[in-house]
Amino acid sequence: MIAGCITIVSCSKRSSGPDEGHGASSLFPLTAGDMWCYQDSVFADTGLEEIDYDTMTVNSQRVQDNFGTTYVGITNPGGWFQGSYIQVDPSNTTVYEVDSPAYSPYTFFQAVPQDGPIGTGADYSNPGCPIQSIQYGYSTPVSVAGYSCLKNAEVVTDCNNVIREEIFSYLSPGVGVVRIEDFVADSTNGNKLYQEYSQTLTNKVLH
């Protein structure tokens, strides 16, 4: 898959489209055929276990919610966005995601003018100990894999206020998702967080 990306990118040209999800500054480019290649690293609490590669492509699927908002299909077998549908807000500040046309959208990423919380969520599948999450946005760009990126973080806590998971997302305007890092609590080691997964951009083809 990586070789395919390298071959195509040499003759790819970047062009602007008519609306959000297109153009040189889109948080998440959404032109059909856009493609990103990633290196996926899987960790245990003792260190790196496995390295895999995946390719994410914007496909031709389009679905609408009850409000008429169109979401663009993503093909990403084995990757973070497998089966997802993406929509970029017309203001180009927020990326929404749905895992299926039947589900409600949620904020995957938001660019913010200053550091702070973006929103909250909850999981009541275990009513005796619901899970709470807070998403944060950071305004200062950081360098990741050679790209200038904006950063979001999602912090997930249980009913005892123990952090169970932290997910960091890095997007570069005009490029899309550059890196995702997933940290989880090790229940056998005082719930110390360790990195379980990362996905890092290695190449891209944007139209």
Side-chain angles (χ1 to χ4, degrees):
M1 282 188 278
I2 293 300
C5 267
I6 293 173
T7 300
I8 298 172
V9 75
S10 62
C11 59
S12 173
K13 293 184 179 179
R14 190 79 172 107
S15 61
S16 296
D19 51 28
E20 66 275 6
H22 301 270
S25 62
S26 175
L27 281 176
F28 200 132
L30 292 175
T31 300
D34 282 352
M35 180 169 64
W36 300 260
C37 297
Y38 294 99
Q39 175 180 298
D40 304 336
S41 300
V42 180
F43 302 86
D45 56 356
T46 54
L48 180 65
E49 276 195 334
E50 181 180 350
I51 292 177
D52 298 302
Y53 298 92
D54 74 81
T55 300
M56 177 173 74
T57 307
V58 176
N59 61 43
S60 59
Q61 290 183 296
R62 304 292 182 268
V63 298
Q64 285 191 337
D65 62 16
N66 294 331
F67 302 99
T69 302
T70 300
Y71 294 82
V72 177
I74 300 294
T75 300
N76 188 205
W80 188 267
F81 292 93
Q82 182 173 356
S84 293
Y85 296 82
I86 299 294
Q87 192 258 345
V88 179
D89 184 82
S91 67
N92 196 38
T93 59
T94 308
V95 177
Y96 297 101
E97 181 179 4
V98 290
D99 298 322
S100 131
Y103 297 153
S104 298
Y106 55 88
T107 299
F108 164 68
F109 193 93
Q110 188 172 102
V112 296
Q114 60 185 22
D115 296 355
I118 295 168
T120 61
D123 178 358
Y124 295 99
S125 55
N126 179 4
C129 189
I131 302 296
Q132 306 288 331
S133 65
I134 302 177
Q135 189 170 354
Y136 298 90
Y138 300 91
S139 59
T140 303
V142 295
S143 180
V144 179
Y147 297 94
S148 177
C149 296
L150 300 174
K151 176 183 175 182
N152 273 192
E154 181 180 2
V155 180
V156 180
T157 58
D158 64 18
C159 59
N160 298 309
N161 206 34
V162 174
I163 296 177
R164 311 303 306 182
E165 185 175 20
E166 290 184 342
I167 301 171
F168 298 94
S169 302
Y170 300 88
L171 268 68
S172 180
V175 175
V177 179
V178 171
R179 184 171 170 85
I180 294 175
E181 300 170 343
D182 190 6
F183 294 79
V184 297
D186 181 0
S187 59
T188 65
N189 189 21
N191 291 316
K192 180 181 178 181
L193 292 174
Y194 73 92
Q195 187 171 4
E196 183 182 58
Y197 174 85
S198 70
Q199 170 182 304
T200 305
L201 182 68
T202 60
N203 218 323
K204 64 186 186 302
V205 179
L206 302 177
H207 300 89

